[in-house]
Amino acid sequence: MDARGLVRSVRLVGAARGLRAARSAWRGRRADARALPRGGRERARVPGPARGAEPRPGGGVVHFERSSLRVRVTAGGMVFCGWDGAAPDPSYALAGSYPQADPRAVLEPDKDGGWRVVSERVLVTVTRLGAVEVRTPGGVVLRRDQPPRWWEPADGAEGDARGGAGSRWTQRSEVPADARFFGLGGRAPGPRLRGGPYRLWNAGTVPFRTGRGARSLTMPVLWVVADAGGHLVFHDNSWDGLVTLREGLEGAGSGHDRPGRCEVRMSGGPLRYWVLTGAPSRVLNGWRALTGAPVLPPRWALGHQAGLWGAGGEREVRRVVAGYAGRGLPLSAVHLGAGHHRGRRGFTVDSGRFPDLPALAEALRGPDGSGVRLVSCVDPAVRAEPGEAVYDGGLGEDAFVRDPVGEPVRGLGPAGEAVYPDFTDPRVRKWWGGLYSERLARGFAGFCHEMNDPVSLAVFGDATLPRSSGHCLESRGGDHREAHNVYALAMARAGFEGLRGLRPHERPLLLSRSGWAGLQRYGGTWTDQTSAGWEGLRDALAQVIGLGLCGVPYCGADVGGPAGSPRPSPELYLRWFQLAAYLPLFRTPAVPGPGRLEPWEFGPEVLEHARAALRERERLLPYFTTLARLAHRSGAPYVRPLWWAAPKDRALRECEDAFLLGDALLVAPVLEPGVVRRTVPLPRGRWYDTATGRVHRGPGRVVVEAPRARIPVLARAGSVVPVAGPEGGIELEVWAPPPGRTGGGVVAADPGDGFGRVELERFSVRVLDRDVVVVREGSSEVGYPVRVRGSGA
């Protein structure tokens, strides 16, 4: 940034605060210049020729002239590759111990001096010069990783840099020419990732940073979907990186296909990665086994939630809650942002605005506990001011990130000069988790971690801590170059484990603005919309699908777009609201200023249609509860791409404006202005329009009605959808299967918000003498009221 840009930034944020941000940025830059090694002469290294191999469980180690490669196939068919002695652990992504090796996998010599690992589910070949191919058991190539290349200090200033922090590396890969890319966390545009670079560095979109492509939640998790088969590749490295993609080009039968290409560049850290192959359901089940099961949100967190800044105080909260109740609009929670804190200091309450917060929380929740919950935002930045309880307690615990000379790193947070807890230290996580007792005593039922990239406000450079900042990293030691991307993940762990200890019988709601691979173990997230308008609506859907494919199923998009963006038109707001009603996290924010975003602020027509969408969401809550249980057990996301069950269908791979909600429903939102009819690609089978009952047959493309009153939703023939009946109990909405075909579904009747196990009830459906017959597995009675739809089609 030049001097003119600096002046503009200072004017944007205000003179006093802008100068503090500039001072903080310069301080961080000076610290990095003093502590981090300066760029100098480097030497490139490649593995060189293979010299031999030694068998080990699940595979073995192939030794090259200048490196070594460890290949391990697990009992579930997952492949681990680690160069330069890299092992699966330590890892922030993995949940506990990594999967056991496949005892039947065998390392044996291959042609031309190479080696291969043969197993029942996957074949891995390693060439003489270090290229790695992952193949199906039949020999079809799914991916080919070229020999990697490292760049190391030529003068050996950091010792032997092999596998160390001083080694930056590049790995290029080839995939089939017809392959399509997905994943890398929440990305937009998408969900299909076009050719180009994608940075792996969590960067929050705050007023001081509006860089194109900045994302709060990135993951080195890439999906490759092709006719030959699909796979997921996860580079377990939290350093700053860049993934560059290029889609392939088929030769139209000439045999001259151009393969798709992927290049991964990391600025340091180990070169290790996992490859999971198979159908999408199998891949995400394996991802769940590897990185942990998605946590179950409490039932109330699947309802509609409202976000408030909190500056309006108790009167504003009561006004919004009464506005929803008085208009017959369901509401399950109210989120209070930093405006409810005293001076925007975390773990405090502005007693002037909220004189008795516990009494307010109790009144909103109601005598039977079924009312509205309060959710508190939590920011990791701690105001560096003696006398502040959290600051003084953190100093006593030696809890804060330190600079190279041993002093707490000072940044700029929402409340002013701040220090930051080191969540990569188990002691600090335990201390921080205990702080949530104050929030629980205030009556809060859920928590939303914000600005946890972490953010230190700056007018130039990355708005985060200096890269030379020291972290514990589970006693291994390291700096912010390695810790930055996992900072929010470790904070989520601290909050989740603290809440589990404080209230062991109650499932907590924890949302995290940022995160990394494995975030699903602790909570969910919401999309990072850097644009408003109709483009922002498309981006929101793309990110929800992408996050689900990366193992974070509980996520959603704030209705209306990012805070501070122009107020949406009534049509855009309504279409956004209708889409959000079918996403796992359904939240309508309210930001300071005149641009209110409650449904009644956009006129009677919008209010009427929004009420219909809310009531449909309430009716589908048993289905969402079931999807949450399925995600917890299998890793399958609530929101799935259309190609989920048919990845070889190229038309479905190209679709980016519709999605599957579980196995039963297909949702086709309206993402452009003025649309009242739209085209929908259908997977194979019979589909019913849930509004009109009209039958459509796939595969193929059909045109469906999309009036302002609703968005198209289609039900798969033969599906069983648990819904809420008129009296609040569960009913089964059964969509008739075609003659001669069967169907089915599952129901998870969640009795509460605890951690008790809930058995899935399985149902089968068939047509017998023109009657639709529903049978409950293991029982002679269905046990629920049944309503058959589509039987007359």
Side-chain angles (χ1 to χ4, degrees), residues 538 541 640-644 646 649-660 665-669 671 677-687 696-704 712-716:
R538 297 183 68 93
L541 174 59
R640 308 167 186 178
L642 289 191
W643 50 262
W644 175 261
D649 189 324
R650 297 191 178 190
L652 299 183
R653 292 207 300 256
E654 302 293 332
C655 178
E656 300 179 296
D657 59 357
F659 61 91
L660 297 174
L665 301 180
L666 188 158
V667 182
L671 306 178
R677 302 178 77 218
R678 59 153 297 177
T679 302
V680 181
L682 291 182
R684 182 176 298 277
R686 176 181 290 189
W687 296 84
H696 302 282
R697 291 174 175 81
R701 302 175 69 85
V702 298
V703 177
V704 295
V713 178
L714 288 78
R716 189 191 302 270

Side-chain angles (χ1 to χ4, degrees), residues 691-723:
T692 66
R694 183 179 175 184
V695 179
H696 302 282
R697 291 174 175 81
R701 302 175 69 85
V702 298
V703 177
V704 295
E705 300 296 324
R708 286 174 63 92
R710 60 178 175 83
I711 57 175
V713 178
L714 288 78
R716 189 191 302 270
S719 60
V720 177
V721 182
V723 298

Side-chain angles (χ1 to χ4, degrees), residues 531-539 560-562 565-569 572 576 671:
S531 59
W534 293 93
E535 179 185 0
L537 179 58
R538 297 183 68 93
D539 288 355
S565 60
R567 191 168 186 257
S569 67
L572 173 58
W576 206 305
L671 306 178

Side-chain angles (χ1 to χ4, degrees), residues 1-13 18-19 21-22 26 207-210 458-461:
M1 176 182 291
D2 58 17
R4 183 175 300 175
L6 178 61
V7 170
R8 283 198 300 266
S9 298
V10 171
R11 287 176 178 172
L12 175 66
V13 302
L19 290 174
W26 279 117
F208 314 106
R209 180 186 176 93
T210 57
V459 296
F460 59 86

